[in-house]
Amino acid sequence: MERVRTVPKQAEHVTCTNLEGELVLYDPRAEHVHILNSTAALIWQLCDGIRDKSAIAGEVAEGFGASRRDVTRDVVSAIRQLYDAGLVEYLSEPIETSEAAGI
């Protein structure tokens, strides 16, 4: 059975602008505007289709001077909320056999 790794990616249909220091996202499909706080904005910006949730948590931890362990649950929750709002999609890619085995 092939194992896959999922990575969050900004939804392509969402437009982004910085308005007076706040990240404002517009979803034309839902005709909805989302104003993100600074932490959610950082997490959304790190959803680049390359970093997985663990890597994003590491970047957030580094940015806030916290441990990855302390921020992981909040990062995963934020990504889930962004996904539920239609602002993030998931890409799946196969994990190479040596990577899956931890080699």
Side-chain angles (χ1 to χ4, degrees), residues 11-15 25-34 86-87:
E12 291 184 20
H13 66 276
V14 173
T15 58
L25 306 179
Y26 176 65
D27 179 353
R29 293 181 183 171
E31 297 182 345
H32 193 80
V33 173
H34 302 266
L87 304 174

Side-chain angles (χ1 to χ4, degrees), residues 13-84:
H13 66 276
V14 173
T15 58
C16 169
T17 188
N18 194 319
L19 184 64
E20 298 181 16
E22 293 185 310
L23 193 65
V24 179
L25 306 179
Y26 176 65
D27 179 353
R29 293 181 183 171
E31 297 182 345
H32 193 80
V33 173
H34 302 266
I35 301 172
L36 303 184
N37 66 31
S38 61
T39 305
L42 173 61
I43 293 168
W44 186 81
Q45 290 168 327
L46 291 170
C47 291
D48 57 7
I50 297 170
R51 295 176 181 95
D52 62 11
K53 292 177 210 174
S54 177
I56 292 170
E59 294 279 338
V60 171
E62 186 177 313
F64 287 98
S67 75
R68 181 183 300 214
R69 182 178 179 176
D70 289 343
V71 302
T72 296
R73 185 180 327 169
D74 292 335
V75 167
V76 170
S77 176
I79 293 171
R80 185 176 307 117
Q81 290 174 29
L82 292 166
Y83 174 80
D84 289 345

